[in-house]
Amino acid sequence: MAGHANHGHAGTIGRLVDLLGRDAVLTGAADLDLYAWDALSHSRIHPAHPIVPVHPLCVCTPADTAEVQAVVRLANEVRVPLVPYGGGSGLMGAAASLAPGIVADLRRMNAVLEIDADSRTARVQAGAVLETVDAELHGSGLMLGHDPWTLPVATVGGTVSTDGLGYRGGKYGSMGNQVLGLEAVLPQGDVCRTPAVSKHSTGVDLKHLFIGGEGCFGIVTEVTLRVFPVPEARSLHALRFDSFAAGFDAVCDLTRAGCRPILFDYGDETEDPDGPSILFLGFEGNPDLAAAEEHVALDACGRRGSHELAAERAEHFWRERHSAARRFAANRTERRKRGQAGAHQDWVHVALPASRVLTFRREAIALAAARGVRFRDSGLWTGPELFSLRLAKEGGDRARVELGDTVAALLDRVHAYGGSVEYCHGVGVKLAPFMVREHGQSLDLMRSLKRCMDPNGIMNPGKLGL
Ligand SMILES: Cc1cc2nc3c(=O)[nH]c(=O)nc-3n(C[C@H](O)[C@H](O)[C@H](O)COP(=O)(O)OP(=O)(O)OC[C@H]3O[C@@H](n4cnc5c(N)ncnc54)[C@H](O)[C@@H]3O)c2cc1C
């Protein structure tokens, strides 16, 4: 990592201290090191597209929307990059500092401002960690519909800005689907508020500039979310299929029948791509509705030859679903180094038409084998269209090139099939080189919007392929 680069910007740091107070501006080397980067690991960076994070000039921790506005205006005046930072758990380098600038950690803005139980809505500040919001909602008999692995770490603002997907996504959709309205500070310091209603027909819904916007179009400061009753009943199952294709047919059948599982996690049981696969399946909510869905889904699986495993297997899976994130939180800088010792691993999470998934899987396995890249496993999450694949290769930089080239070739196939190269982790810097192919001329439109809203290019530059 390039070193400390804040000489010449002492005036900027001093002005931030004047605006926010000394305690709200961090300049120590350990803080700058921590905030320079997110959870993107070394082994997932293609040597041909190196990503070199640098220490920011400083990290600031604004306490309210007015302070965020003041920081944005200062960054514009002195023309330094401004990177919004939530839990720092993003996997694509979207919160990385690529040039010395200001990092704005939103986590002091963590209040649950209002819970309206009758309307099933919650108005929360963007820096609130999901698990904390969820715990507070429980007091009103409600819960969040977004339940990613990183529930204990990720923030409302970060998950909106990546439009993340969680375990309950099969029933409630992505984080973006749960945003009714939001408040954001625009790149020149003005505030934008969108109506917090379930639907409106009064023009373009500007909240979509920020859902998946990775902080490039402004800083989200407040969000009104749809929230859900704590379920009265829940049932969990682990089902084994003899082959990936058999289980795939089953999940297509149950999806077609209208089942909306809260747990839908399907994948290879071993590294043998022709071996058995396991489907973790769950339903929750009103006991009668959940039981009806469970009945239809188990029937669909049974017809495709599923074998039910011990109940404890599914319960253990559900209980432990956030443990990887707790490990990450306990030692977050270690993750960045993954692969430096020569064991490289990368994965793709792609959206495809369901009719293409099995063909793509077959092609991917053949392509990896032809290039000497190891197939680890493949899977589906929340629905039959969202497919993932994990690949590995051991060795030095040459191995990293071969792994990266294989992933790039796979993403090319995704585009040939009319798919999208990522379904939940965002673009950041890792997938930026693929955005021209992903969006075609629409990327020019996004870039024009960006220039129009952010003429000085201060808001999280270098991300999203903008
Ligand atoms: C072990 C592990 C498991 C994971 N599992 C999942 C999963 O199940 N589902 C999933 O979707 N993702 C998962 N992720 C990825 C990550 O948790 C998500 O991308 C999450 O949404 C990021 O939230 P964050 O608060 O950490 O955001 P950050 O990483 O801090 O930031 C992400 C992006 O949002 C921007 N941003 C942050 N806050 C704001 C704001 N207030 N306004 C504007 N822009 C902002 C940042 O600049 C950056 O571009 C996982 C990551 C790890 C390490």
Side-chain angles (χ1 to χ4, degrees):
M1 175 158 340
H4 208 328
N6 72 6
H7 11 271
H9 280 283
T12 303
I13 295 169
R15 285 179 65 187
L16 268 176
V17 169
D18 291 344
L19 289 168
L20 310 183
R22 177 153 301 284
D23 290 349
V25 183
L26 314 176
T27 53
D31 286 322
L32 299 185
D33 201 39
L34 186 67
Y35 282 94
W37 203 228
D38 55 14
L40 174 62
S41 60
H42 174 80
S43 69
R44 302 184 62 221
I45 301 170
H46 194 301
H49 305 288
I51 302 166
V52 186
V54 300
H55 278 179
L57 302 173
C58 65
V59 178
C60 68
T61 58
D64 57 28
T65 301
E67 289 195 355
V68 174
Q69 286 183 280
V71 174
V72 170
R73 289 192 171 123
L74 177 64
N76 255 293
E77 191 189 319
V78 299
R79 304 280 200 274
V80 296
L82 177 56
V83 181
Y85 206 94
S89 68
L91 290 165
M92 298 296 183
S97 286
L98 306 178
I102 301 169
V103 169
D105 178 347
L106 276 295
R107 281 173 294 183
R108 263 174 83 203
M109 296 176 59
N110 58 10
V112 176
L113 300 168
E114 188 184 353
I115 296 174
D116 180 344
D118 291 337
S119 308
R120 291 180 295 117
T121 62
R123 192 161 62 85
V124 295
Q125 285 186 305
V129 171
L130 298 179
E131 191 172 60
T132 315
V133 178
D134 202 43
E136 202 155 330
L137 286 168
H138 275 242
S140 305
L142 296 165
M143 65 170 198
L144 284 177
H146 185 50
D147 178 36
W149 292 33
T150 35
L151 190 87
V153 185
T155 59
V156 169
T159 51
V160 168
S161 302
T162 48
D163 196 8
L165 190 72
Y167 281 100
R168 292 187 162 93
K171 191 171 175 80
Y172 302 122
S174 72
M175 183 60 166
N177 292 140
Q178 293 159 48
V179 175
L180 299 177
L182 52 74
E183 175 192 90
V185 174
L186 299 174
Q188 297 195 77
D190 294 330
V191 173
C192 162
R193 287 191 188 87
T194 72
V197 290
S198 63
K199 164 88 181 72
H200 70 83
S201 170
T202 52
V204 174
D205 197 337
L206 291 175
K207 71 186 180 195
H208 290 291
L209 278 172
F210 309 99
I211 295 173
E214 295 188 357
C216 296
F217 297 96
I219 300 185
V220 179
T221 44
E222 200 180 295
V223 182
T224 301
L225 289 167
R226 164 70 69 225
V227 293
F228 302 91
V230 170
E232 293 169 60
R234 175 182 305 132
S235 63
L236 302 171
H237 299 271
L239 304 156
R240 179 178 283 130
F241 293 87
D242 290 342
S243 69
F244 191 91
F248 181 81
D249 289 339
V251 298
C252 286
D253 290 346
L254 70 88
T255 304
R256 224 176 275 123
C259 297
R260 306 193 62 190
I262 49 117
L263 171 60
F264 176 138
D265 188 300
Y266 180 54
D268 297 295
E269 192 172 9
T270 67
E271 290 195 13
D272 174 5
D274 300 318
S277 294
I278 306 254
L279 173 64
F280 291 101
L281 196 59
F283 295 93
E284 68 180 19
N286 170 286
D288 293 337
L289 292 176
E293 283 191 278
E294 179 188 27
H295 173 74
V296 171
L298 292 182
D299 187 50
C301 292
R303 285 168 195 269
R304 299 288 184 174
S306 66
H307 311 279
E308 177 112 30
L309 304 177
E312 171 52 23
R313 181 109 185 230
E315 278 149 23
H316 175 81
F317 185 89
W318 185 252
R319 247 189 343 263
E320 294 300 316
R321 69 195 188 282
H322 304 126
S323 51
R326 294 192 206 283
R327 285 196 296 276
F328 160 72
N331 203 354
R332 51 175 65 224
T333 49
E334 277 312 297
R335 188 182 183 91
R336 301 170 184 170
K337 297 183 200 148
R338 273 191 187 175
Q340 280 178 351
H344 308 292
Q345 181 162 273
D346 201 356
W347 61 90
V348 298
H349 292 87
V350 302
L352 285 163
S355 60
R356 301 294 198 178
V357 168
L358 290 181
T359 312
F360 176 75
R361 180 176 181 273
R362 263 193 311 275
E363 287 181 357
I365 290 164
L367 193 103
R371 290 167 176 250
V373 169
R374 182 169 144 216
F375 166 86
R376 298 289 312 271
D377 49 39
S378 64
L380 301 168
W381 214 35
T382 77
E385 289 101 348
L386 305 186
F387 177 74
S388 62
L389 186 73
R390 192 158 56 121
L391 300 171
K393 178 98 187 171
E394 300 210 347
D397 262 4
R398 184 70 232 146
R400 210 149 53 98
V401 170
E402 284 162 4
L403 181 60
D405 285 350
T406 306
V407 167
L410 291 179
L411 299 185
D412 253 8
R413 296 302 303 147
V414 168
H415 281 144
Y417 285 140
S420 171
V421 295
E422 176 57 54
Y423 68 68
C424 80
H425 298 111
V427 174
V429 276
K430 155 99 169 132
L431 292 179
F434 300 92
M435 289 305 103
V436 171
R437 185 93 196 267
E438 174 92 8
H439 295 292
Q441 287 196 332
S442 308
L443 189 63
D444 294 338
L445 175 60
M446 276 190 238
R447 286 174 173 164
S448 303
L449 274 170
K450 168 78 174 162
R451 274 195 302 276
C452 168
M453 292 175 67
D454 183 13
N456 299 320
I458 58 139
M459 282 304 313
N460 208 6
K463 315 298 167 54
L464 270 188
L466 299 176

